[in-house]
Amino acid sequence: MPQGTPYHAFIPPYPIRVDDFTDPSSSTYTFSGRQKTASLYLLTHTHTDHLMGLSARSFGQTIVCSHDAKEMLLRHEVYAERALRDAELRAENVRTFAHLKVEPQRMEDGSVDYTGSRDLLRPTYTHIPTKFVLNDDEEVTITLLDANHCPGAVMFLVEGSKGSVLHTGDLRVEPWFLESLKHNPFIQRYIRDSRSSSSTNVLPTLDAIHLDTACLLNDYEVPPKADAAVALTSLMALYPQSTRFFLNVWTWGYEDIYKEVARKFDTKIHVDRYKHSVYAHISGDPFLQSIITKDESSTRFHACERFERCEHVRVNGRESHTPSGHHVVYVNPVNMDIQTWQRYLEETREQLQKGKEVNVLKLKDYAA
Ligand SMILES: [Zn+2]
Ligand SMILES: [Zn+2]
């Protein structure tokens, strides 16, 4: 969780901490008059600001997350290490969170030695309520719900004898998403008719919602992801068929752009070894898996390693053409309010229609 999260990232009244894995001595918090220590950790998704403390080898507690988040975490590599691996200077991948899962060793005589083996990540499927014991006299039921944010990102609904708490993590509340929540049987039962004042024993109460308000508190309007992707690809379609595009995105969460490019141009997208290994192992998005390729020559759309682009989109210095003469257009995410973005779209469309060379396209950013 970003710094300054209320309750030190606990979700009172439960001794559960979300997206904060810093030193256990700081993971105590006093509520209901008692000092609590975290009995269970939850991880909403794998963006770096939600992984604080998790790379410490000393961390040794159970973490609940989605299956895809587990795969992404165990495959996580930092750029400097990826570069060495790709340059074949390092034969082994250095995986940042490998200490969270240590396989038992198979000995020469065929026996298995479990000393030091462990698997701290408890992956759970969405919409399957699962019981977790917190301590001798306390257990909770946790249900994971999609957060519409990036691969593997979930919200947590925690229910127990002390009440019900929803922790959203980062989420993208678009109109369709809000509508789907209204129909989600795990959330639906907490939605009351605002006109009815009588309280009954039938409907349960959601006692607290932990909501990331980063975008909510901005005073500018943000377009839905799908609109940003469609607008971008409609500009890309104005270029000649020989133009190559470099999608300059490096965090998880821009996958809708790849999908829209694949749909619009009936093509795959070249991704680097690292992205390919992560996407190929997440089970929640078969469409994404079907549109990525490691074959750099098979497509003019690239989302390969940004500082080590493949030769199909590699240019010298600030040039906009490859040494073989292909025009390379960059797609860069940029923060803009909706009015600036719409003006930008109109102006760029006009320039392209007049045949002007535009070397950079701006993507209305949304993935943070
Ligand atoms: Zn995030
Ligand atoms: Zn490439």
Side-chain angles (χ1 to χ4, degrees), residues 19-230:
D19 292 355
D20 190 337
F21 310 91
T22 45
D23 185 356
S25 61
S26 70
S27 67
T28 55
Y29 181 63
T30 305
F31 50 86
S32 309
R34 287 172 59 190
Q35 197 172 60
K36 311 267 184 174
T37 306
S39 304
L40 188 67
Y41 286 80
L42 310 181
L43 171 67
T44 61
H45 66 293
T46 61
H47 278 153
T48 321
D49 55 337
H50 294 253
L51 301 175
M52 271 189 334
L54 200 51
S55 58
R57 299 289 184 269
S58 55
F59 184 85
Q61 284 184 268
T62 302
I63 303 164
V64 182
C65 62
S66 68
H67 280 266
D68 285 349
K70 176 173 181 171
E71 284 294 337
M72 295 170 78
L73 205 55
L74 292 179
R75 286 168 198 285
H76 186 278
E77 298 169 30
V78 292
Y79 172 71
E81 298 292 347
R82 294 205 295 271
L84 287 176
R85 165 75 167 77
D86 291 337
E88 293 181 354
L89 294 174
R90 193 191 278 281
E92 285 281 303
N93 291 354
V94 175
R95 293 177 297 117
T96 324
F97 302 106
H99 59 289
L100 299 175
K101 183 180 179 182
V102 180
E103 298 283 0
Q105 263 188 309
R106 187 163 287 280
M107 310 307 281
E108 273 179 17
D109 63 1
S111 64
V112 178
D113 181 2
Y114 289 92
T115 317
S117 70
R118 61 180 187 172
D119 188 356
L120 299 176
L121 299 164
R122 293 276 175 286
T124 307
Y125 289 108
T126 53
H127 295 181
I128 308 281
T130 308
K131 281 195 179 357
F132 289 91
V133 174
L134 299 180
N135 46 50
D136 290 348
D137 56 0
E138 201 169 18
E139 70 171 22
V140 287
T141 299
I142 299 182
T143 310
L144 278 59
L145 305 162
D146 177 48
N148 188 34
H149 179 57
C150 71
V154 291
M155 306 192 274
F156 289 101
L157 176 62
V158 180
E159 297 167 298
S161 60
K162 291 180 182 159
S164 303
V165 178
L166 178 69
H167 194 294
T168 67
D170 288 356
L171 82 168
R172 177 116 194 138
V173 185
E174 300 180 321
W176 71 267
F177 181 75
L178 209 51
E179 198 56 34
S180 79
L181 278 186
K182 280 200 256 170
H183 299 280
N184 184 309
F186 297 99
I187 295 296
Q188 209 172 32
R189 59 200 158 130
Y190 290 108
I191 302 174
R192 302 282 179 94
D193 183 339
S194 59
R195 288 160 299 182
S196 149
S197 57
S198 68
S199 64
T200 70
N201 295 324
V202 177
L203 299 175
T205 304
L206 191 56
D207 300 283
I209 300 178
H210 294 248
L211 181 71
D212 188 320
T213 51
C215 273
L216 206 68
L217 300 178
N218 281 341
D219 52 4
Y220 59 81
E221 221 185 312
V222 185
K225 276 201 278 197
D227 292 3
V230 168

Side-chain angles (χ1 to χ4, degrees), residues 270 296 302-304 309-310 312-313:
H270 176 234
E296 59 195 55
H302 294 253
C304 33
R309 296 183 291 275
C310 74
H312 289 258
V313 281

